[in-house]
Amino acid sequence: MKISAVYIAKNEEKNIARSLESIKDAVDELILVDTGSTDNTVDIFKSYGGKVFYQEWQDDFSAPRNLALSKATGDWIIILDADESFSKDTRQNIGQVLRIAAPESNGLLINMTNYDKDTGEALDEFYSLRIVRNIKGLNYKGRIHETLHIGDEELSNAQRVTKEILSIDHTGYTTSISQEKHQRNLRLMEKAIAAGDPEERYYTSLYETYAAIGNMEKAIHYAKLDVARGRQPVTYASRSYRGLMRYYAEDNSSAGKIRRAQFVQQAVEDFPELPDFHAEYSECLYQLGKYQEAKQEIEKAITLYESYDGMEPCLLTPKMVRLMDKRLQEMTALAKKQTDVKISACAIVRNEEKNIRGWLENVNVFADEIIINDTGSEDSTKELIAKFSEENPAMPIVLLESMWQDDFSLAKNQCLDEATGDWVVFTDADETFKTPEKVRNYIVDQANTGVQVIFVPMANIDQDENNRVMNVFTVPRIFHREEELQYRGRIHEEISINNQTIDCLQTCFADNHLAMLHTGYSSKINVQKAKRNLDLLLQDIASGQNIEKKYLYLAECYYTLGDYDKALNNALLATQSSYQALGHQGDMYWLALNAMEKLNYPIEDRMAVVENGIALFPDLPDFYARKGMLLIENGQHQAAIGCFEKSLKILEDYNKSPLTSNSSNIMSVLHEVYTDLGICLIHIGEKQAAEVMYKTAVTINPWTEKALCHWADIYNGRPDKEFLQELSPIYAGIENSREMLTGIFAINGFIELAEYYSDGEYYLPIKIKDYEDIYNKSMKDMAEILPALYVCLLEKYQEEYVKILPNNLQRVVNVFYGRDQGEVLNNCFEDYLTFLPEVISFARKDTGERYLHLLESFSTSNDEAEKQLLSVAEKLLKCHQEELALSFYQRISADSENVNEKFWQNVGICFYGLDQFEQALECFGRALKDKKTEAYVVWCRERMKNED
């Protein structure tokens, strides 16, 4: 028996001798094809008696290897690289192994161990074809990562040699030198593919190479392509699987944990013999709270490890297995605890193809059975459910099909009739738990406490606004299954047990571990659902159901549909209703405020609602924020800062609190809160702090125009490098962001920024003499600057600037400074009144008082003077200056015809704002009997009750 050893090499003087030493006593022939060495490689090889042939390097590993094979004359050929050598413990076995090799064996798979030359650390090990029979037609194919063939057929019938018998050490891919080789390999693979080699031949190698050079995006791309083919009939076929396991493990979100578990499950199915894959799957299941299944997988991993002798490398170590034994004990205890409770996950669906897969994956984490009632889907919802059922045969899934009868309770009760669990988790297809792995444990903990209903935190997510959180609240979603567990009501249905409504049942509020996300009320979906819901609500009311329970829901529907009068009316009725929805009491006041804004209610009316909200819900951030916004509207920036800061502090505490029993709507306006706080900080000279607020606002909602513009103002509207560096990461990855920013900056007069974001292509009206556009923009700027100029001139007279003012305002300023003695300001009152809010809000106190004294200069008759007094009083009331307003109302004669129902309503509002509730109620008794008066009466009584 003759043994040949063949090499190809270039400049391997540091490695070649070590390799030759490992085989010199076993081989009869040494052959080297040198591809251009300029060091001592060839001389060293010849010193061992080897034959050397030469071939110019052509970016093709197969070419020199085939030349080497053609020169070999032995019965067996050992194929080595210069940085590969047989281990000291096994090299003496080479001859014996070849003598006893099976006659049908065409080659031998030898264990390879990769070592880091710099540290000596063993990186990994695998089996590779390194010894073959010298068979006619033996050749390599492939420019790189070449494979052995006999003719055109890939070599088969290779026999594995255990690593204890033969093993090869490989140091060629050490950390310090591998980057250069990886870049070379990538170039050769690209060249081979360009020449016609199928790309899939290189999927695994492309994954490894891109990962090694740090391009993880492409690495993961090729790993996914590789895995999608299933297990390949090659040695170390698990490489891409292992890479993707590491990739998926980086995402610790619940959705990420689910994706990781799904992938590792596939890996286990493709490599059922690998102990470490079962161990990985066990950990995935553990993190999802599936302790019984996790226990079974870790037991399997330990058993397989004890006798593992497979072709694929197993990366478990004895130390890891000892830790797995401890983990098994923990899983056993947790699994025993879990098996005492059965959970049914239920939902009714219709045309939910966008949501159903995510919902199924979510509930699959904690449920023992899934029950779905499809009420008439016309999309692929049912097909997706069937497909999920096929993929998860261990999960019992019941799919009911019924006709929609405009009754949510009927459809839900059909699900409950099929449920067999001890507990029911009933959610919508667009509602998912953030951490579904926590659900089972929480239910187990409540199982023997007598709790019948569990409220969970819910966040409304607007998918049309970059998944922005609109509000957070609590909802009943988990129920103990008892006799007569059923829903009631066509819409906004309520759970009942044994004919007892939820307010009579034993309830608890779950902490944020059971928080849910709800995407079903995104802005585009809202109007459609509001129309449907309103119709069902009206049907319920017509059938005799308690209307007091419907006020809030009616208000929500009317508001969404743009009927703000009805929305406000129902919201106010909801505040007075004897029925208060658990966890939603503050929503009524918030919705009332929104409707009042849409209807342009005066500031004092909205402030009354805000103050009531603060008094009733002091632990909510919502109404402090709304108060700050109203104070800004009224020009009281310093006071607004205190409100905003208090709101944000309460919000911080609210978010930290594990339990929240009342809903908050502040998230829907949080970007506005930070914007307004920034504006206030600018007013007191805190420019740096204001910039932080603007950045926070734009980070929350990138299209907060007011924040963007005020932020740009700090940099004088110029594309300052620092400003652009702050903006860049916020808009990175947002489609069409440059075009959007161009439009925002252009329409607000930031021309340089508009030009920057349009790459200099923004159109300027002055360049093409667009006089109408220029005029309109100028008028807008003048309208914005005029009030500020007017106040400044009242503070400090400067004749050259007074001349800029309109004529009537010039006259008012001149009389204010006594320059036009004795003049009656005929036809100037409306101009005077128009700018009264700015004077009261921004001028010094003494300037404001002098300005009010000017009132005597306008009238020519008592009747006219009284009407002007009332106008000023109303304006002061709108500015939330109740005490000043009251002083003007008190100057009206009691027998005046102007002392009417509207007069008493306004005086009552003044007393309310001054916390003099008894006097306010007396005035409201004489006031106009409308919704506003009714609301103030309710608020007065509530405030008096709270004070008692």
Side-chain angles (χ1 to χ4, degrees):
M1 181 182 68
K2 183 178 180 180
I3 303 173
S4 300
V6 299
Y7 292 83
I8 66 170
K10 179 181 178 181
N11 294 333
E12 290 284 1
E13 64 179 8
K14 293 182 180 180
N15 297 312
I16 194 71
R18 182 173 60 254
S19 181
L20 292 168
E21 282 290 327
S22 75
I23 60 170
K24 66 179 183 179
D25 296 330
V27 303
D28 304 294
E29 181 179 50
L30 293 170
I31 294 169
L32 167 67
V33 174
D34 186 86
T35 59
S37 293
T38 56
D39 62 2
N40 293 321
T41 300
V42 170
D43 292 338
I44 294 171
F45 197 86
K46 286 181 176 179
S47 72
Y48 281 82
K51 301 173 186 177
V52 179
F53 302 89
Y54 299 92
Q55 187 178 84
E56 184 180 352
W57 176 246
Q58 301 171 15
D59 278 351
D60 186 339
F61 280 93
S62 287
R65 290 204 187 277
N66 285 334
L67 177 58
L69 290 177
S70 71
K71 302 300 181 181
T73 61
D75 302 298
W76 289 92
I77 303 174
I78 298 174
I79 304 162
L80 291 176
D81 290 341
D83 53 11
E84 297 172 351
S85 56
F86 281 89
S87 68
K88 290 181 179 180
D89 294 335
T90 65
R91 61 183 60 170
Q92 70 278 3
N93 298 329
I94 295 173
Q96 179 63 20
V97 168
L98 296 182
R99 280 191 290 272
I100 64 172
E104 68 275 12
S105 176
N106 290 328
L108 300 179
L109 295 164
I110 310 299
N111 181 265
M112 305 275 293
T113 303
N114 283 327
Y115 286 94
D116 190 316
K117 184 178 179 181
D118 300 327
T119 66
E121 179 187 1
L123 302 175
D124 61 0
E125 58 181 75
F126 57 96
Y127 283 87
S128 181
L129 188 60
R130 281 294 185 265
I131 305 177
V132 295
R133 290 188 190 274
N134 195 349
I135 303 170
K136 184 179 179 180
L138 187 66
N139 72 98
Y140 275 96
K141 293 188 185 297
R143 188 180 291 270
I144 185 170
H145 300 298
E146 58 281 9
T147 54
L148 272 165
H149 289 65
I150 300 174
D152 291 329
E153 298 294 325
E154 193 165 344
L155 187 143
S156 58
N157 295 330
Q159 176 184 344
R160 182 167 65 95
V161 181
T162 62
K163 62 183 179 181
E164 291 79 16
I165 304 298
L166 280 183
S167 182
I168 296 174
D169 298 334
H170 177 214
T171 60
Y173 279 77
T174 61
T175 305
S176 62
I177 65 175
S178 63
Q179 284 299 311
E180 182 182 345
K181 287 191 174 182
H182 283 303
Q183 291 289 355
R184 176 205 66 191
N185 292 353
L186 181 59
R187 177 173 53 82
L188 294 182
M189 282 188 282
E190 290 172 345
K191 198 169 183 179
I193 294 167
D197 275 8
E199 188 182 46
E200 56 265 27
R201 183 177 182 276
Y202 299 100
Y203 282 163
T204 306
S205 300
L206 284 167
Y207 151 67
E208 289 188 307
T209 305
Y210 276 118
I213 64 177
N215 189 337
M216 292 310 299
E217 184 178 352
K218 284 197 170 181
I220 296 304
H221 168 73
Y222 283 109
K224 288 181 176 179
L225 289 175
D226 191 15
V227 166
R229 300 183 296 172
R231 181 173 182 168
Q232 296 298 296
V234 296
T235 60
Y236 209 171
S238 61
R239 284 171 288 174
S240 291
Y241 290 80
R242 295 184 185 279
L244 284 176
M245 283 182 193
R246 289 190 293 270
Y247 167 72
Y248 285 117
E250 292 174 1
D251 186 352
N252 285 317
S253 68
S254 287
K257 290 175 182 177
I258 292 171
R259 283 192 294 270
R260 179 188 177 194
Q262 289 170 340
F263 173 72
V264 178
Q265 182 181 16
Q266 178 189 343
V268 166
E269 291 170 357
D270 288 349
F271 296 86
E273 80 280 12
L274 272 179
D276 46 339
F277 277 21
H278 287 280
E280 182 80 6
Y281 189 37
S282 171
E283 189 61 26
C284 292
L285 293 168
Y286 176 86
Q287 290 187 14
L288 290 174
K290 296 190 169 187
Y291 302 128
Q292 184 61 38
E293 295 170 55
K295 170 179 172 289
Q296 293 169 358
E297 285 298 321
I298 204 168
E299 287 174 338
K300 191 176 293 183
I302 293 170
T303 301
L304 288 171
Y305 176 79
E306 291 171 351
S307 58
Y308 183 72
D309 186 28
M311 287 274 291
E312 287 291 321
C314 170
L315 303 187
L316 292 179
T317 64
K319 183 179 180 180
M320 292 178 185
V321 175
R322 287 193 294 272
L323 292 174
M324 287 163 58
D325 285 329
K326 292 182 180 179
R327 193 67 145 178
L328 175 58
Q329 295 175 15
E330 179 185 355
M331 290 176 180
T332 301
L334 290 169
K336 185 177 185 303
K337 185 179 179 182
Q338 275 192 346
T339 53
D340 295 336
V341 171
K342 182 178 181 180
I343 300 172
S344 303
C346 300
I348 61 172
V349 299
R350 185 179 183 184
N351 296 333
E352 290 286 358
E353 63 182 7
K354 292 182 179 179
N355 298 310
I356 192 63
R357 177 80 194 194
W359 182 85
L360 285 164
E361 290 176 349
N362 195 259
V363 300
N364 189 51
V365 172
F366 58 80
D368 298 295
E369 65 177 7
I370 297 174
I371 300 155
I372 303 170
N373 189 358
D374 188 288
T375 60
S377 291
E378 297 171 343
D379 60 3
S380 61
T381 299
K382 289 183 284 188
E383 289 77 6
L384 290 169
I385 295 169
K387 182 179 179 183
F388 184 86
S389 182
E390 290 175 9
E391 295 170 352
N392 297 270
M395 172 60 69
I397 299 179
V398 177
L399 176 59
L400 307 173
E401 295 187 52
S402 63
M403 295 218 20
W404 175 243
Q405 299 181 42
D406 284 346
D407 191 328
F408 281 92
S409 287
L410 176 63
K412 286 190 171 184
N413 288 334
Q414 288 170 337
C415 280
L416 291 178
D417 289 342
E418 298 292 328
T420 62
D422 305 301
W423 288 81
V424 174
V425 179
F426 215 127
T427 58
D428 293 340
D430 52 17
E431 297 174 348
T432 53
F433 288 94
K434 288 179 68 176
T435 52
E437 64 272 18
K438 306 286 186 182
V439 175
R440 176 171 284 277
N441 286 343
Y442 190 91
I443 291 175
V444 168
D445 290 341
Q446 299 298 325
N448 298 312
T449 63
V451 166
Q452 297 168 292
V453 180
I454 299 174
F455 282 76
V456 300
M458 180 85 76
N460 269 334
I461 306 296
D462 193 335
Q463 293 181 316
D464 302 326
E465 292 285 344
N466 289 322
N467 291 321
R468 187 159 60 91
V469 176
M470 302 304 294
N471 59 346
V472 290
F473 51 99
T474 55
V475 287
R477 288 294 183 266
I478 304 175
F479 315 102
H480 187 246
R481 194 173 70 85
E482 302 178 23
E483 288 187 18
E484 299 300 322
L485 172 69
Q486 61 178 341
Y487 283 94
R488 295 179 177 180
R490 289 177 181 271
I491 181 73
H492 296 296
E493 57 283 357
E494 293 182 336
I495 200 72
S496 70
I497 298 177
N498 296 322
N499 293 319
Q500 290 186 311
T501 55
I502 201 164
D503 51 324
C504 300
L505 300 174
Q506 185 72 31
T507 61
C508 75
F509 289 83
D511 59 25
N512 287 325
H513 285 114
L514 261 64
M516 299 191 75
L517 301 177
H518 177 214
T519 58
Y521 277 78
S522 297
S523 52
K524 289 180 181 176
I525 305 171
N526 248 350
V527 173
Q528 305 165 18
K529 290 195 173 182
K531 289 178 181 177
R532 177 202 67 189
N533 292 355
L534 179 60
D535 182 57
L536 296 178
L537 283 167
L538 294 175
Q539 288 184 49
D540 273 350
I541 294 167
S543 68
Q545 289 197 25
N546 185 355
I547 193 171
E548 289 198 357
K549 292 187 176 183
K550 310 296 182 183
Y551 285 140
L552 177 58
Y553 305 128
L554 287 167
E556 290 174 340
C557 290
Y558 283 124
Y559 185 86
T560 302
L561 296 172
D563 192 337
Y564 302 120
D565 279 310
K566 287 184 179 178
L568 178 58
N569 182 44
N570 279 280
L572 294 175
L573 288 170
T575 65
Q576 303 169 48
S577 169
S578 59
Y579 172 78
Q580 298 290 305
L582 279 174
H584 292 272
Q585 294 93 324
D587 292 353
M588 308 172 233
Y589 293 87
W590 185 271
L591 197 149
L593 276 171
N594 290 344
M596 292 170 81
E597 280 187 359
K598 294 289 187 181
L599 294 167
N600 296 315
Y601 267 66
I603 288 179
E604 66 269 18
D605 293 350
R606 288 179 280 150
M607 186 64 81
V609 177
V610 165
E611 295 288 6
N612 228 37
I614 290 173
L616 294 171
F617 312 104
D619 295 330
L620 282 182
D622 303 32
F623 299 103
Y624 293 101
R626 293 299 282 263
K627 183 174 182 178
M629 291 175 174
L630 289 175
L631 289 171
I632 280 193
E633 201 174 323
N634 207 31
Q636 297 172 264
H637 294 89
Q638 188 67 58
I641 289 174
C643 288
F644 287 136
E645 289 178 342
K646 186 162 188 176
S647 172
L648 292 173
K649 177 64 176 70
I650 294 174
L651 176 60
E652 183 182 353
D653 295 338
Y654 183 91
N655 288 336
K656 287 180 181 177
S657 173
L659 294 173
T660 53
S661 58
N662 218 325
S663 63
S664 170
N665 293 278
I666 195 173
M667 298 305 295
S668 62
V669 298
L670 191 58
H671 57 299
E672 297 176 35
V673 171
Y674 279 106
T675 301
D676 286 348
L677 179 52
I679 292 169
C680 293
L681 291 167
I682 286 290
H683 272 271
I684 64 171
E686 296 287 345
K687 187 180 290 186
Q688 191 172 358
E691 186 171 2
V692 173
M693 296 302 110
Y694 297 145
K695 181 179 180 181
T696 305
V698 175
T699 302
I700 294 170
N701 182 353
W703 307 120
T704 309
E705 186 170 329
K706 187 160 68 167
L708 263 175
C709 293
H710 281 280
W711 194 1
D713 266 332
I714 293 177
Y715 294 92
N716 299 315
R718 293 178 178 148
D720 183 276
K721 182 179 179 181
E722 185 179 341
F723 181 42
L724 297 175
Q725 284 177 341
E726 293 288 342
L727 282 180
S728 180
I730 296 173
Y731 293 95
I734 298 179
E735 190 175 357
N736 299 323
S737 61
R738 292 186 72 87
E739 292 88 341
M740 296 284 286
L741 288 168
T742 298
I744 288 172
F745 286 130
I747 201 169
N748 287 283
F750 298 105
I751 304 305
E752 290 183 56
L753 283 164
E755 287 188 313
Y756 172 81
Y757 279 105
S758 66
D759 297 320
E761 296 178 2
Y762 173 65
Y763 123 94
L764 289 169
I766 192 64
K767 290 180 179 178
I768 60 170
K769 302 295 188 291
D770 189 341
Y771 294 114
E772 183 177 357
D773 194 15
I774 293 169
Y775 175 79
N776 290 335
K777 283 182 165 61
S778 300
M779 290 300 99
K780 178 185 175 186
D781 291 342
M782 288 174 64
E784 290 177 353
I785 199 66
L786 188 59
L789 176 63
Y790 183 62
V791 172
C792 289
L793 291 171
L794 290 173
E795 295 273 312
K796 183 179 180 181
Y797 188 88
Q798 295 189 53
E799 187 172 359
E800 64 272 26
Y801 293 124
V802 172
K803 291 178 181 178
I804 299 174
L805 296 173
N807 289 335
N808 281 353
L809 292 181
Q810 287 186 42
R811 292 174 63 196
V812 173
V813 173
N814 284 326
V815 170
F816 183 84
Y817 278 100
R819 292 175 178 268
D820 290 326
Q821 295 289 340
E823 179 180 352
V824 175
L825 294 171
N826 292 328
N827 303 318
C828 294
F829 177 72
E830 290 302 323
D831 301 87
Y832 164 89
L833 188 66
T834 296
F835 292 96
L836 179 61
E838 283 77 14
V839 175
I840 294 300
S841 300
F842 298 109
R844 295 191 305 267
K845 185 177 180 181
D846 62 322
T847 302
E849 290 173 351
R850 285 176 58 199
Y851 193 76
L852 289 172
H853 286 146
L854 273 184
L855 189 57
E856 299 169 2
S857 304
F858 294 100
S859 58
T860 56
S861 68
N862 288 336
D863 184 58
E864 187 179 11
E866 205 167 74
K867 288 179 180 178
Q868 290 175 353
L869 274 173
L870 288 170
S871 296
V872 169
E874 285 187 19
K875 190 70 81 169
L876 290 169
L877 185 55
K878 288 180 179 179
C879 293
H880 207 51
Q881 298 288 332
E882 291 92 347
E883 190 170 359
L884 264 178
L886 186 60
S887 70
F888 277 80
Y889 282 122
Q890 289 172 339
R891 290 165 61 179
I892 305 295
S893 172
D895 57 358
S896 169
E897 63 181 20
N898 291 310
V899 178
N900 52 26
E901 291 180 330
K902 179 65 177 175
F903 172 90
W904 287 113
Q905 186 182 66
N906 287 341
V907 173
I909 292 171
C910 289
F911 279 121
Y912 178 88
L914 296 170
D915 293 341
Q916 298 178 32
F917 303 120
E918 290 185 4
Q919 293 92 322
L921 285 173
E922 184 180 341
C923 293
F924 289 135
R926 306 180 188 180
L928 187 68
K929 299 299 184 285
D930 62 3
K931 295 171 187 174
K932 181 192 282 191
T933 298
E934 290 174 5
Y936 271 102
V937 169
V938 171
W939 297 333
C940 283
R941 288 171 179 163
E942 286 182 350
R943 296 290 296 278
M944 292 169 70
K945 183 179 178 182
N946 289 337
E947 288 181 359
D948 293 340

